[in-house]
Amino acid sequence: MKTKIANTIRESIAVKEAICQDERLLSTIEQVAELIGLSLKKGNKVLFCGNGGSAADAQHLAAEFSGRFYKDREPLYAEALHCNTSYLTAVGNDYGYDQVYARMLRGIGREGDVLVALSTSGNSANILEAIKVAKEKGMLIVSLTGATGGKMKDGSDYLINVPSTDTPRIQEAHITVGHIICELVENNLFGE
């Protein structure tokens, strides 16, 4: 059992080491932090979406922006789009689950806002629909995916494709990358 535990931790470390060795990916993470900071500075918002564990990660990261991360500072406008269960079930029932995020973005998305879409496969139908609407609205699209980027790769302005095909390892890396972006944004907007 202890060997299994240690091996799982090593697998998680290996994914993060692979990110550290990927100059393109590091550069993209840096660019995304700058982009989000500029968008928030202009009064825009950051909207997150995902399914299952990725929805939990989306909510977690939105809370880091809107609440606080390291600094006691002004809140930043960030929101996870799945938190209203009455809305989700009504739209899922009336329009289909593929439309739950797209419909919300039609109502609240604005040019210059940032959509952060999380999907380990990069192929979630409702996320792909959200990306389409975000593009129509002139939003900037950041996708956090697994190794291939899936279908989300083509619709993204910025792709952070974690070099793994193992869902739990991808999700662990998404939170790590998200935390790094939060820290960089906080430092850029409120000083180190």
Side-chain angles (χ1 to χ4, degrees), residues 114-115 117 131 134-135 139-143 155-159:
V114 179
L115 175 67
I131 287 171
K135 241 188 209 333
M139 296 174 66
L140 299 162
I141 301 155
V142 176
S143 291
S156 303
D157 297 307
Y158 298 88
L159 177 68

Side-chain angles (χ1 to χ4, degrees), residues 119-123 143 145-154 159 161:
S119 170
T120 58
S121 69
N123 295 318
S143 291
T145 69
T148 68
K151 294 175 183 173
M152 288 168 61
K153 179 164 96 174
D154 295 331
L159 177 68
N161 55 326

Side-chain angles (χ1 to χ4, degrees), residues 110-113 132-141 157:
R110 300 288 177 261
E111 186 174 348
D113 289 346
K132 285 181 198 171
V133 172
K135 241 188 209 333
E136 291 168 11
K137 290 278 192 176
M139 296 174 66
L140 299 162
I141 301 155
D157 297 307

Side-chain angles (χ1 to χ4, degrees), residues 16-81:
K16 293 174 181 100
E17 281 292 335
I19 294 169
C20 290
Q21 302 305 315
D22 188 331
E23 287 297 322
R24 181 203 52 81
L25 202 47
L26 294 175
S27 178
T28 301
I29 293 167
E30 181 180 22
Q31 290 169 6
V32 165
E34 290 172 9
L35 161 84
I36 289 174
L38 287 172
S39 181
L40 289 166
K41 198 172 193 175
K42 291 178 183 174
N44 294 105
K45 55 194 170 290
V46 183
L47 302 171
F48 292 82
C49 62
N51 295 298
S54 293
D57 294 344
Q59 189 170 344
H60 177 160
L61 294 173
E64 302 290 21
F65 281 102
S66 60
R68 66 173 297 210
F69 191 61
Y70 277 119
K71 299 181 185 315
D72 189 17
R73 41 104 174 135
E74 289 296 314
L76 300 168
Y77 195 154
E79 189 175 346
L81 297 177

Side-chain angles (χ1 to χ4, degrees), residues 85-106:
T85 54
S86 294
Y87 166 84
L88 277 183
T89 55
V91 171
N93 184 62
D94 295 345
Y95 298 96
Y97 188 67
D98 290 358
Q99 295 302 311
V100 293
Y101 295 134
R103 186 159 178 82
M104 178 75 78
L105 289 176
R106 279 191 193 93

